[in-house]
Amino acid sequence: MATTQVRPGDETKPVALQMAPRRVVKAPRHFADLSAEERADAVAALGQPRFRAKQLATHYFTHFTADPTDWTDIPAAAREAIATDLFPVLLTRRKELKADKGTTVKTLWGLHDGNRVESVLMRYPRRSTLCISSQVGCGMACPFCATGQLGFTRNLSASEMLEQVRLAMRTLALGEIPGGPARLNNLVFMGEGEGLINYRAIMTCIRTLVADAPHGFGMSARNITVSTVGLVPGINKLAAEGLPLTLALSLHAPDDDLRSELVPINTRFSVGEALDAARTYYEATGRRVSIEYALIKDMNDQAWRADLLGKKLNARGRGWVHVNPIPLNPTPGSIWTASERAVEDEFVARLRGHGIPTTVRDTRGSDIDGACGQLAAEEDA
Ligand code: SAH
């Protein structure tokens, strides 16, 4: 049996990652939480004509601004009341770390109740991707993940997630990332948290991400990825939404013995059950599923495990899945490291030998603790 030194809930957690219990306060209602109809009702309740909702939506979703001084088409006298009631400040930039010549930016956001979350913006030559958080901390306790070691603090509201997106879109539009003004192409729910546990809020967020202008950001559902530890009921619910979202399943091991250690929720939803749900997701949406597999030296990187994974995927059909091995990003206090390059190459070659499309994920941002699994907002940062 594989051995682990950092176990969920055990006292070997690195001291730096132990958080004092925090005051947790639900985020105030924000314009971005509301449907188009509710936005019109809300401005009407402030004594404003309903069409102001559309003006505000254009400012927010098309020009990425929530600053009343930019609302030049709204009477100055009305701006403050609208801003106070509908645009509470939800995120405050506390810290920004850059890597890759400024094209990778990790932002630490302060929330209204003093909690913190992180998001990471990555610009590539022809596209840009934002990785957002859906919860403060995470309750899934995966021992190789920095957030997993923090524990769960609270869910984010839809608008707290949408604000991460708006602020990134604004940064790109203003040309603040080297390479000139740009748009956001891809969004991944791969920051802090297990999105499927905060199901209602992520769906509200997603519906607004994909809504056409002026009511939403007009993103393509295909370019939005929901990543999960494999909560089967959540995957089934997502499959029934009728949206071609991309599903990523964090598998990390093809056998239940090891996976229960790496992804503790596996004791509730086994490898087989998670893969069946992923396959059903593909059937319902036509979207090829991504299998995430962090390659951890001498833990899950053996050639036989690549073969077993290939076999289990092929047993459920062809062409429905691809695998994203990710060299482990070591987290503070963990004894684990990334697999050797030759071992990684062999793992990939085996999967490809089984006919499974396989692409190794880059480790952008690892030097600013901004890579996969490294997001863990420090309380005193
Ligand atoms: N809760 C979701 C999203 C979280 S993180 C999920 O588990 O899918 C996004 C991805 O990063 C997951 O696949 C997660 O397993 C992976 N990850 C976590 N820690 C990592 C680490 N230290 N190195 C590489 N990938 C890691």
Side-chain angles (χ1 to χ4, degrees), residues 144-145 190-191 193-194 227-229 250 252 292 328-329 331 372-373:
F144 59 91
C145 173
M190 291 190 182
E194 169 56 40
S227 185
T228 176
V229 288
S250 298
H252 306 309
E292 309 296 297
L328 181 82
N329 290 301
T331 60
C372 306

Side-chain angles (χ1 to χ4, degrees), residues 286-323:
R287 298 291 298 154
R288 206 163 70 157
V289 173
S290 299
I291 302 287
E292 309 296 297
Y293 200 108
L295 282 168
I296 311 175
K297 188 178 175 189
D298 300 333
M299 280 294 280
N300 62 354
D301 60 358
Q302 303 81 358
W304 71 265
R305 282 203 160 92
D307 288 334
L308 182 59
L309 177 58
K311 227 172 96 186
K312 288 197 174 182
L313 297 179
N314 284 335
R316 290 167 174 82
R318 295 279 174 161
W320 68 280
V321 71
H322 65 111
V323 176

Side-chain angles (χ1 to χ4, degrees), residues 93-364:
R93 204 176 256 109
R94 293 276 178 219
K95 201 156 96 180
E96 204 170 70
L97 291 174
K98 297 189 178 182
D100 308 305
K101 301 198 171 89
T103 57
T104 301
V105 183
K106 178 175 85 164
T107 308
L108 176 71
W109 301 105
L111 306 178
H112 74 102
D113 60 356
N115 279 299
R116 308 256 197 269
V117 288
E118 296 182 329
S119 61
V120 183
L121 178 58
M122 290 154 281
R123 182 165 190 186
Y124 300 89
R126 269 176 300 280
R127 66 195 162 91
S128 58
T129 299
L130 177 69
C131 175
I132 66 167
S133 295
S134 59
Q135 300 181 319
V136 181
C138 184
M140 296 297 99
C142 304
F144 59 91
C145 173
T147 315
Q149 292 168 58
L150 279 182
F152 173 74
T153 300
R154 75 163 165 88
N155 281 328
L156 295 188
S157 65
S159 54
E160 285 174 315
M161 292 180 251
L162 288 162
E163 278 285 89
Q164 295 172 59
V165 179
R166 176 184 71 88
L167 289 158
M169 286 182 165
R170 182 178 159 81
T171 298
L172 284 166
L174 291 176
E176 289 173 3
I177 308 286
R183 298 179 60 85
L184 183 69
N185 306 107
N186 302 305
L187 183 77
V188 298
F189 285 86
M190 291 190 182
E192 291 177 49
E194 169 56 40
L196 292 185
I197 288 198
N198 191 10
Y199 192 87
R200 230 164 46 150
I202 69 156
M203 278 320 299
T204 302
C205 170
I206 288 168
R207 296 221 173 267
T208 301
L209 290 171
V210 301
D212 286 334
H215 300 299
F217 289 118
M219 288 190 78
S220 156
R222 290 183 164 68
N223 296 340
I224 299 173
T225 299
V226 175
S227 185
T228 176
V229 288
L231 304 176
V232 170
I235 295 173
N236 292 340
K237 239 159 105 178
L238 198 66
E241 294 285 352
L243 282 172
L245 299 164
T246 300
L247 176 73
L249 171 63
S250 298
L251 198 69
H252 306 309
D255 52 306
D256 286 315
D257 269 359
L258 179 57
R259 188 165 192 263
S260 294
E261 189 163 354
L262 295 177
V263 184
I265 199 73
N266 191 69
T267 54
R268 281 269 291 284
F269 304 107
S270 66
V271 170
E273 289 166 331
L275 290 178
D276 286 345
R279 167 74 209 193
T280 305
Y281 184 86
Y282 166 77
E283 273 156 35
T285 61
R287 298 291 298 154
R288 206 163 70 157
V289 173
S290 299
I291 302 287
E292 309 296 297
Y293 200 108
L295 282 168
I296 311 175
K297 188 178 175 189
D298 300 333
M299 280 294 280
N300 62 354
D301 60 358
Q302 303 81 358
W304 71 265
R305 282 203 160 92
D307 288 334
L308 182 59
L309 177 58
K311 227 172 96 186
K312 288 197 174 182
L313 297 179
N314 284 335
R316 290 167 174 82
R318 295 279 174 161
W320 68 280
V321 71
H322 65 111
V323 176
N324 268 159
I326 317 162
L328 181 82
N329 290 301
T331 60
S334 168
I335 50 155
W336 293 333
T337 56
S339 305
E340 308 279 351
R341 187 58 203 263
V343 173
E344 176 187 311
D345 290 347
E346 177 64 15
F347 198 90
V348 169
R350 293 270 177 147
L351 283 170
R352 289 189 180 144
H354 289 272
I356 308 286
T358 304
T359 348
V360 176
R361 169 85 65 77
D362 75 17
T363 54
R364 264 223 191 187

